[in-house]
Amino acid sequence: MRKSFRLLSQVPNKNLHIDHDDFREFEPFEGETDLIPRSTAPGTEPLTVVGVDMRKDFNEANHYTTEYVNNLLVVRRAKQFVIDITFSRPMVPQDDFQLEFLIGADPAANKDSLVVVTFGNRTGTSWSGEILEARGTVLSLGITANAKAIVGLYRMYVAVVVGNGMQRTEKDPNTNFYLLFNPWSPDDEVFYPDEIGRTEYVLNSTGLIYMGTPEQVSERGWVYGQFEEGVLDACIYIMDVCRMPIQSRGEVTKMVRTASALINSQDDNGVLVGNWSDDFSMGTPPTTWTGSTKILLQYHNTGAPVSFAQCWVYAGVLNTFLRCLGIPSRVISNFNSAHDNTGNLKTELVFKEDGTPDRRNTRDSIWNYHCWNEAFMKRVDLPPKFSGWQVVDATPQETSDGYFRCGPAPVIAIRDGELCHPFDCGFVFAEVNSDLIFMVSDRYGNMTPKKVDTTYIGKMLYTKAVSRWGPEDVTRTYKHPEGSPQDKETMAKAEQYGCARDQSDLPASKLAIQISAQAGFVGEPLKIEVTFYNQAELMKSVKAHMEIAVTYYTGVASS
């Protein structure tokens, strides 16, 4: 039998000396047996969180995000990722906890910016969670973000039910993580149907941008750098500084349309300042840039728009933005691209009676080439036919709903002339299908059409080919062969939607001119050959005026 002892004195006394003789043996109290010290029953002590492991290497290998140079976890929505939670003791059936995911400055459940994931019988939200494995005090949890979840940087908390309340973990930046679009998931609006395409349009961090003229196509290498350190943070910063609503960041159509405005600084303090002059003294010449990373990091670090850009720079940076967030994208170059200020299908070049260009009265212009982007997505706001590649253009040319932006415009809608669908299909259609009209202005300002060329605009459209360093001709995705029945049907349909064409009945010209020139360098003699072809039966005397000027690729003459 165990012995029980009673302490003679429990009053502190600095003069009191206690040794073994100060205890006297006694029998248990009446009704007692041996006295055993009381302790908490196993599994009833409060459950607390000891640590969280975001399983970065494991998750990123499964989410195609290992290339992101970032200390935080990067995963994609609509695919499960794993988190290990270490508790203070093994779980028992009575325990209850939840994970809370927050994004933005004012998270709210009704805006999907506060998401609760439960693991018991309680109902959670649109994200799902399951306990994959229990190893002593460690639980492995599988989390799957909804296919429409907001994209961006999330904060995570573990909340344990304690009594009638919740005890949450403290804020820990190490448990923050990035959630991106998922082109590998059929449930995501950006799903791309084949692996080769996903590798090219999402994971490829370098590319080619095509420039020049239809007769002399050149290429420029561009480093998109979507995985470089700081680029993902810069892309999120762009959305924050331009105040893109948090709840819109999970909808790809809104994301892409907003991005086309954010990349230019025209009206929202966006990333790039355009400059089509020959004075770049206040910034960097557009031709100096070779990639997007430096531009994005400079914008993120300074908060000020970066100088300067032209169309291929806008397209390169927008491509980085889209691929970084997980949206399949590519850069398109349209050769002989019309910039029609009047919103019809007539690109008018005005000449004086003596044949010299009347630049003061010429409002439209033709660019040797113009670069924009295509983004691949499901258009949930349109019939299924219009899903797929969408034109989106960050170069500030015309306003759309009050902002300098363009798209997303379904490429198939442009090809088929179905211009009633959003967004900006008519403008893009004119860029590739306008009629080129040569007008002569008399001394009183009257305009007379002299020649109409229906084949000059949108001569061809190029993009980098998949898995090889060369061009892919995508002209037929934008327009049917000139003069074909499908082409005539498309143009007639476009007119029904308000795109006016020139209906002048001009006699066929009896004179043809061919001009050829050899490429040369500044300061060297330029050899030009002009050949006149008389297609009439009678001899003709020709009076010609030739003007040679250095022009930008936008068709504007250098002063």
Side-chain angles (χ1 to χ4, degrees):
M1 177 182 293
R2 293 183 181 177
K3 301 294 183 180
S4 298
F5 299 91
R6 178 175 296 170
L7 187 63
L8 289 176
S9 175
Q10 296 181 354
V11 179
N13 188 329
K14 64 181 180 180
N15 297 318
L16 180 64
H17 174 72
I18 300 176
D19 59 23
H20 189 72
D21 293 336
D22 291 322
F23 294 88
R24 60 185 172 89
E25 185 174 338
F26 70 98
E27 296 297 327
F29 293 108
E30 184 178 356
E32 287 187 320
T33 57
D34 292 347
L35 299 181
I36 302 175
R38 296 180 179 179
S39 63
T40 305
T44 61
E45 65 268 22
L47 183 70
T48 59
V49 177
V50 175
V52 178
D53 182 358
M54 301 301 287
R55 300 286 297 275
K56 186 177 189 305
D57 293 341
F58 174 81
N59 287 318
E60 291 186 343
N62 291 327
H63 284 250
Y64 303 95
T65 56
T66 55
E67 292 189 60
Y68 285 90
V69 182
N70 201 298
N71 292 327
L72 300 179
L73 174 65
V74 182
V75 291
R76 303 186 187 275
R77 62 188 193 179
K79 184 175 179 63
Q80 187 180 83
F81 61 98
V82 179
I83 298 174
D84 286 350
I85 310 290
T86 302
F87 291 97
S88 57
R89 59 169 173 78
M91 297 281 292
V92 296
Q94 295 78 16
D95 291 325
D96 192 9
F97 71 98
Q98 64 188 33
L99 300 186
E100 298 173 355
F101 301 96
L102 296 76
I103 187 171
D106 186 24
N110 62 349
K111 296 181 179 179
D112 295 323
S113 54
L114 169 58
V115 181
V116 176
V117 177
T118 60
F119 299 88
N121 296 324
R122 290 186 295 115
T123 302
T125 53
S126 58
W127 294 24
S128 62
E130 62 175 320
I131 298 176
L132 301 176
E133 184 183 7
R135 304 182 306 278
T137 60
V138 179
L139 282 188
S140 290
L141 308 176
I143 312 296
T144 304
N146 183 272
K148 298 183 183 297
I150 295 171
V151 168
L153 178 62
Y154 280 82
R155 309 181 295 280
M156 189 193 77
Y157 297 89
V158 184
V160 179
V161 176
V162 178
N164 294 324
M166 288 278 191
Q167 182 178 355
R168 290 175 174 81
T169 53
E170 296 181 356
K171 184 177 181 179
D172 182 2
N174 294 317
T175 61
N176 294 349
F177 67 97
Y178 300 90
L179 187 68
L180 308 180
F181 291 98
N182 190 357
W184 281 264
S185 171
D187 297 327
D188 200 304
E189 293 173 0
V190 302
F191 172 66
Y192 195 86
D194 68 76
E195 184 62 29
I196 296 177
R198 290 189 290 262
T199 300
E200 179 68 47
Y201 300 132
V202 180
L203 300 181
N204 195 348
S205 60
T206 59
L208 296 173
I209 299 176
Y210 292 94
M211 316 170 85
T213 66
E215 295 76 24
Q216 290 185 315
V217 176
S218 61
E219 62 187 35
R220 174 185 292 271
W222 194 265
V223 180
Y224 300 119
Q226 67 266 36
F227 306 119
E228 295 297 321
E229 185 176 6
V231 170
L232 179 53
D233 288 317
C235 293
I236 294 174
Y237 171 79
I238 292 169
M239 295 185 283
D240 291 340
V241 78
C242 296
R243 299 182 180 179
M244 181 181 182
I246 285 289
Q247 60 268 28
S248 297
R249 301 184 189 183
E251 301 178 48
V252 64
T253 301
K254 291 182 178 179
M255 174 72 81
V256 167
R257 181 155 174 78
T258 303
S260 72
L262 301 183
I263 299 302
N264 70 71
S265 65
Q266 203 74 6
D267 43 29
D268 50 15
N269 203 42
V271 178
L272 284 162
V273 179
N275 185 344
W276 282 267
S277 74
D278 55 0
D279 181 8
F280 305 111
S281 58
M282 301 301 292
T284 301
T287 53
T288 301
W289 301 115
T290 58
S292 306
T293 302
K294 187 176 179 180
I295 294 171
L296 291 168
L297 295 184
Q298 180 177 328
Y299 182 74
H300 188 196
N301 292 333
T302 65
V306 180
S307 301
F308 291 106
Q310 291 179 5
C311 69
W312 71 89
V313 183
Y314 286 112
V317 173
L318 180 55
N319 215 53
T320 299
F321 180 91
L322 297 174
R323 289 188 184 184
C324 185
L325 297 180
I327 302 171
S329 61
R330 60 188 185 181
V331 175
I332 301 293
S333 297
N334 177 35
F335 292 91
N336 293 351
S337 186
H339 184 181
D340 182 7
N341 282 286
T342 53
N344 53 35
L345 294 180
K346 297 184 289 186
T347 299
E348 298 173 336
L349 301 183
V350 183
F351 296 84
K352 299 175 183 177
E353 289 182 297
D354 63 358
T356 59
D358 187 352
R359 293 190 173 90
R360 186 173 65 87
N361 290 315
T362 298
R363 298 287 181 264
D364 300 334
S365 61
I366 304 171
W367 296 18
N368 289 347
Y369 65 93
H370 176 52
C371 299
W372 59 65
N373 300 81
E374 286 181 357
F376 194 90
M377 68 183 76
K378 181 179 181 181
R379 287 296 296 269
V380 296
D381 57 325
L382 297 177
K385 167 186 176 180
F386 299 103
S387 293
W389 288 116
Q390 314 283 317
V391 173
V392 55
D393 192 350
T395 301
Q397 298 181 85
E398 300 290 334
T399 58
S400 174
D401 296 332
Y403 292 91
F404 280 92
R405 59 184 172 184
C406 181
V411 172
I412 193 171
I414 297 164
R415 186 196 68 183
D416 294 342
E418 300 186 53
L419 308 183
C420 60
H421 300 294
F423 298 88
D424 308 309
C425 288
F427 182 81
V428 179
F429 187 86
E431 288 185 295
V432 299
N433 281 302
S434 281
D435 294 336
L436 177 58
I437 305 172
F438 297 85
M439 308 288 290
V440 174
S441 173
D442 63 20
R443 68 181 67 182
Y444 305 107
N446 299 314
M447 302 283 188
T448 304
K450 291 296 183 181
K451 181 182 177 182
V452 177
D453 189 339
T454 61
T455 65
Y456 186 81
I457 302 298
K459 204 70 172 179
M460 59 190 190
L461 293 99
Y462 275 8
T463 189
K464 179 189 175 300
V466 175
S467 300
R468 64 182 177 86
W469 291 95
E472 177 185 350
D473 189 337
V474 294
T475 307
R476 290 294 167 256
T477 66
Y478 279 85
K479 54 197 303 185
H480 296 289
E482 293 285 352
S484 67
Q486 298 93 331
D487 178 55
K488 293 177 180 178
E489 181 182 348
T490 292
M491 300 306 290
K493 193 178 297 182
E495 289 187 271
Q496 293 176 6
Y497 290 118
C499 290
R501 300 184 69 191
D502 184 84
Q503 303 296 338
S504 302
D505 186 14
L506 300 177
S509 174
K510 299 295 184 179
L511 179 67
I513 303 174
Q514 180 179 344
I515 303 175
S516 61
Q518 295 179 351
F521 296 94
V522 175
E524 293 183 353
L526 182 63
K527 183 179 180 181
I528 299 176
E529 186 176 289
V530 180
T531 306
F532 295 89
Y533 295 95
N534 182 8
Q535 298 171 338
E537 296 178 357
L538 301 176
M539 297 290 291
K540 296 285 186 180
S541 296
V542 177
K543 182 180 179 180
H545 172 90
M546 177 178 289
E547 182 174 298
I548 300 175
V550 176
T551 60
Y552 302 110
Y553 77 97
T554 57
V556 177
S558 174
S559 57

